[in-house]
Amino acid sequence: MFVEIKELFFKYKNAKRNTIEDFNIQIKQGEVISIFGKSGSGKSTMLRIISGLEIPDKGYIKIDDKVMVDKEQFIAPENRGVGMVFQDYSLFPHMTVEKNIEFGLKDMKKDEKKKRVEEVLALVDMMEYKKSYPYELSGGQQQRIAIARAVAPRPSILLLDEPFSNLDKDLQESIRAQIKNIIKQCGITCIFVTHDREDCRAMADRIVILKEGIIEEIINKTDL
């Protein structure tokens, strides 16, 4: 399996109960997984653990046959090969679109950076906006740029935190389809969290239903 998460436990300091309890899943390469649940169910915490922003109390995470964390080791977030898009997109307001994307391409030469920026801008159909600033873009356009920035370094896995919650309802359907197409074109493994069943139906191959940090069920989207 491309991603393996086994017997994962996590509790925030001073919390009365585990935020994540005995989380187990295996994910194939190129699969899109949704973690679905209400606010406070532990969804975003799982993304933070996978990305390395939080350290689990127990269990391990393996991505592409490399152990990211277990009882003996911990790989820092910047060395995990994980791309993450936060709920607010976190674009740098003082940078143009192309400079936002270039930011994560630190180990490339100038001409390589330019080529990769153009590749991902073409992927998200935003080439004409490369000199624009984030405030000049719509919410859907900002989201596509955030995804372009996340996939530009060719991460092993892409994590999305409530990817459609900041968009107007009438935009969500078309944007879901666009983002799914981008992810599938990349062939990238993706985990996204949501509280919206329509996100799951539109995007996910499988849905992890999480309640109070515990997996209730893992189902195919056709069973929703």
Side-chain angles (χ1 to χ4, degrees):
M1 286 293 167
F2 189 72
V3 177
E4 186 175 2
I5 302 172
K6 189 172 182 181
E7 297 175 355
L8 206 72
F9 287 77
F10 176 82
K11 184 169 75 172
Y12 285 105
K13 187 177 180 180
N14 300 324
K16 293 182 179 180
R17 63 172 180 83
N18 290 322
T19 304
I20 300 296
E21 186 165 336
D22 200 20
F23 191 103
N24 294 271
I25 193 170
Q26 293 183 327
I27 303 171
K28 298 176 183 177
Q29 187 166 13
E31 196 172 10
V32 178
I33 298 293
S34 168
I35 301 178
F36 171 81
K38 296 179 180 179
S39 178
S41 61
K43 306 185 305 296
S44 294
T45 298
M46 268 310 306
L47 290 195
R48 292 179 61 82
I49 294 170
I50 295 167
S51 66
L53 297 176
E54 302 288 355
I55 302 174
D57 301 312
K58 184 182 175 184
Y60 77 83
I61 299 172
K62 186 186 289 185
I63 300 175
D64 196 14
D65 287 327
K66 300 172 186 173
V67 175
M68 299 291 120
V69 61
D70 61 14
K71 63 182 179 181
E72 296 177 350
Q73 62 182 314
F74 172 79
I75 304 299
E78 62 270 22
N79 297 323
R80 290 196 177 197
V82 172
M84 187 161 181
V85 178
F86 294 94
Q87 193 171 347
D88 62 358
Y89 313 138
S90 297
L91 297 174
F92 300 113
H94 62 290
M95 292 184 183
T96 61
V97 162
E98 63 179 345
K99 292 298 182 184
N100 262 281
I101 297 171
E102 278 183 10
F103 184 80
L105 303 176
K106 300 184 185 299
D107 297 328
M108 291 186 183
K109 295 178 181 179
K110 188 175 181 180
D111 57 339
E112 292 174 330
K113 286 183 180 180
K114 182 178 179 181
K115 181 181 179 182
R116 184 57 179 160
V117 168
E118 291 183 351
E119 285 174 352
V120 295
L121 282 174
L123 177 69
V124 300
D125 195 22
M126 290 288 289
M127 185 72 77
E128 63 187 286
Y129 296 96
K130 67 180 181 179
K131 298 296 184 183
S132 300
Y133 288 86
Y135 71 86
E136 297 176 305
L137 306 177
S138 68
Q141 290 170 333
Q142 288 185 43
Q143 184 190 54
R144 281 187 279 164
I145 295 304
I147 288 175
R149 184 176 67 179
V151 302
R154 296 183 174 88
S156 298
I157 185 171
L158 177 65
L159 307 178
L160 307 177
D161 189 3
E162 296 280 4
F164 310 109
S165 61
N166 289 335
L167 301 177
D168 294 336
K169 285 291 183 184
D170 57 346
L171 277 177
Q172 287 182 359
E173 185 173 346
S174 62
I175 295 296
R176 285 186 191 111
Q178 290 173 19
I179 299 308
K180 181 178 181 180
N181 186 51
I182 290 166
I183 291 169
K184 289 300 185 181
Q185 280 189 62
C186 289
I188 196 167
T189 306
C190 178
I191 301 173
F192 73 94
V193 303
T194 184
H195 63 274
D196 190 329
R197 288 179 180 270
E198 289 305 316
D199 292 347
C200 298
R201 290 191 181 100
M203 291 272 295
D205 298 314
R206 286 188 295 154
I207 300 100
V208 177
I209 300 176
L210 199 64
K211 183 177 182 180
E212 296 183 348
I214 299 170
I215 295 177
E216 282 197 323
E217 193 176 6
I218 300 177
I219 61 176
N220 295 319
K221 69 176 180 180
T222 52
D223 297 327
L224 266 182

